Amino acid sequence: MQLQDAQLAVDTWIKNHGVRYFNELTNMAQLTEEVGEVARIIARRYGEQSEKESDTHKDLGEELADVVFVVLCLANQTGVNLQEAFDKKLALKTERDHDRHHDNKKLQ
């Protein structure tokens, strides 16, 4: 699915199942909360913190999808074409960072 299709799918879902978009500040707070849930799983599952029994059933993919959903909501309600923005960013990073990463001794 292309990002533009994902934006449309989220917008359709909001119109069919939600009442309306939460306002931008509420969605920003939700995004922060969802990123925190991802950070908790990563820190405990892949980092040095021990994983609590109550966290072992948490699905990282589901939490990452929550982050994507809220990002798509924010893009929709602020008029951002995420496909265009992503394509532009990828091209910029490709041009700017190609040699930088290959020449980074820390990554070898």
Side-chain angles (χ1 to χ4, degrees), residues 72-108:
L72 292 167
C73 286
L74 283 165
N76 284 348
Q77 65 194 133
T78 58
V80 171
N81 180 324
L82 212 48
Q83 187 71 59
E84 285 180 10
F86 182 81
D87 292 344
K88 183 178 175 182
K89 179 57 69 175
L90 190 58
L92 174 71
K93 289 180 75 59
T94 298
E95 182 177 328
R96 180 190 68 198
D97 296 340
H98 177 74
D99 290 334
R100 179 177 140 216
H101 293 304
H102 285 284
D103 296 338
N104 184 344
K105 291 178 180 21
K106 294 177 185 178
L107 297 176
Q108 297 174 5

Side-chain angles (χ1 to χ4, degrees), residues 47-91:
E48 295 175 340
Q49 287 185 307
S50 58
E51 190 168 25
K52 295 180 180 179
E53 180 63 34
S54 61
D55 290 337
T56 59
H57 69 282
K58 297 203 176 189
D59 183 339
L60 179 58
E62 184 177 330
E63 298 305 332
L64 287 168
D66 286 341
V67 170
V68 171
F69 186 90
V70 179
V71 167
L72 292 167
C73 286
L74 283 165
N76 284 348
Q77 65 194 133
T78 58
V80 171
N81 180 324
L82 212 48
Q83 187 71 59
E84 285 180 10
F86 182 81
D87 292 344
K88 183 178 175 182
K89 179 57 69 175
L90 190 58

Side-chain angles (χ1 to χ4, degrees), residues 10-55:
V10 166
D11 192 59
T12 300
W13 187 91
I14 294 290
K15 289 175 181 169
N16 291 331
H17 302 284
V19 175
R20 61 171 174 77
Y21 285 96
F22 294 128
N23 69 41
E24 295 84 354
L25 289 175
T26 299
N27 273 336
M28 187 61 229
Q30 277 195 303
L31 178 60
T32 303
E33 180 181 340
E34 298 299 349
V35 169
E37 291 176 16
V38 169
R40 181 182 179 99
I41 292 171
I42 296 289
R44 286 167 169 70
R45 199 163 296 163
Y46 303 101
E48 295 175 340
Q49 287 185 307
S50 58
E51 190 168 25
K52 295 180 180 179
E53 180 63 34
S54 61
D55 290 337

